[in-house]
Amino acid sequence: MRILAALFVLLPAGLASAHEFWIEPVAYQVATGDPISAHIVNGEEFEGTRFAFFPQRFQRFEVVTGGAAEPLEGRPGDMPAAQLAGIADGLVALAYVSTPARVRYEMFDKFVSFAEHKDFAGITALHNSRDLPKQDFVESYTRFARSLIAVGTGGGEDAPSGLETEIVALANPYTAPLDGVLPVRVLYMGDPRPDVQVELFEKAPDGAVDITLHRTDGEGVALLPVRPGHSYLADAVVLREPLEAALAAHPDAVWETLWASLTFAIPGAEPS
């Protein structure tokens, strides 16, 4: 496994528990008329624990087809969490927003190590400037996951889902001539996030995972290297002082993190 690139200082913008969270389709490409199934996953290095459909765990769970979003229906306990039928030919997006959760840090060093990995090298100064405790403190975090799936020809374009933070593909990974690069835009409150880190997890057909770090430009665009037959998880995090909604859920939180993820695959050999 390789981890490439340097870490940079950021203004308040991202962090959470030490695990990524994503939507992982059973198949990224399905024939027209075939059902779509996808897991909700929490883990590390593109491997993790799959969770069932439980409405109390999310604020939004939607399927977007032809530019129209509809709530994703299910029964408590459904596995995979997303199960859809009768989806028309085209590019399909799934979007998920979790309910706020919390993590308690007993030791400051663990928080700093994680924050620096997620591109917040200035976190100690920010923490000290607010006179926050160095142990036994709480962070509230929310997940914003999206996934792109091709049905039939997979034609169409990705577009923002209106999430508080999200990663949007600027080219269709299933139909566009990518020449080894997929451009994505990272958004926060609808605006591009310039000069922020995007962590990319690449899974080969044999299941091997490679991790690389990338940065957005002044327009919030990152150029992600991609290869046929591989599947991908892109991750970007926002760290900020807790806003009202986070404090309503966790009054003792001193930090709030928002996690954006996007999964997709590149056609070729069958992706994992």
Side-chain angles (χ1 to χ4, degrees):
M1 179 180 298
R2 301 174 286 143
I3 298 182
L4 308 178
L7 299 176
F8 297 81
V9 178
L10 263 191
L11 296 176
L15 173 72
S17 92
H19 297 81
E20 280 70 41
F21 183 96
W22 65 94
I23 300 170
E24 187 163 340
V26 173
Y28 285 91
Q29 296 171 263
V30 301
T32 301
D34 284 357
I36 291 174
S37 297
H39 294 285
I40 298 299
V41 189
N42 186 44
E44 296 179 293
E45 301 179 1
F46 218 171
E47 297 291 343
T49 301
R50 296 169 174 176
F51 293 95
F53 182 97
F54 285 115
Q56 65 269 31
R57 291 181 177 172
F58 60 82
Q59 302 176 64
R60 292 173 58 180
F61 199 1
E62 299 171 344
V63 55
V64 182
T65 58
E70 296 183 3
L72 196 153
E73 303 294 339
R75 297 174 300 179
D78 276 353
M79 285 279 281
Q83 300 180 31
L84 299 161
I87 303 300
D89 183 286
L91 184 67
V92 175
L94 303 181
Y96 181 102
V97 179
S98 73
T99 53
R102 59 183 278 166
V103 58
R104 180 178 296 277
Y105 287 93
E106 296 183 359
M107 301 300 297
F108 187 59
D109 287 350
K110 183 175 180 180
F111 176 75
V112 170
S113 176
F114 172 74
E116 289 182 347
H117 173 66
K118 289 299 181 184
D119 200 29
F120 301 100
I123 191 63
T124 297
L126 289 170
H127 197 88
N128 290 340
S129 71
R130 295 176 56 210
D131 196 28
L132 297 176
K134 291 294 183 64
Q135 58 184 15
D136 197 30
F137 59 92
V138 170
E139 170 207 322
S140 178
Y141 62 92
T142 305
R143 314 292 199 160
F144 300 84
R146 301 179 71 249
S147 184
L148 300 179
I149 301 167
V151 176
T153 64
E157 301 299 329
D158 191 19
S161 296
L163 309 187
E164 192 166 5
T165 184
E166 58 186 322
I167 302 173
V168 179
L170 299 182
N172 186 324
Y174 304 101
T175 62
L178 299 177
D179 196 25
V181 175
L182 178 72
V184 301
R185 176 170 278 125
V186 182
L187 299 173
Y188 173 54
M189 294 187 173
D191 295 324
R193 290 187 66 200
D195 193 27
V196 297
Q197 177 178 291
V198 177
E199 189 164 10
L200 183 66
F201 301 80
E202 176 187 66
K203 184 178 292 185
D206 65 2
V209 176
D210 194 33
I211 305 172
T212 53
L213 303 180
H214 308 273
R215 299 202 72 76
T216 62
D217 63 14
E219 301 299 320
V221 175
L223 302 178
L224 305 182
V226 294
R227 294 186 285 177
H230 291 63
S231 56
Y232 293 88
L233 161 65
D235 172 268
V237 183
V238 170
L239 169 65
R240 67 190 185 190
E241 293 185 30
L243 298 188
E244 183 177 347
L247 290 173
H250 307 118
D252 55 348
V254 300
W255 289 109
E256 179 184 7
T257 57
L258 314 177
W259 293 63
S261 69
L262 176 69
T263 54
F264 58 91
I266 305 299
E270 185 64 22
S272 300

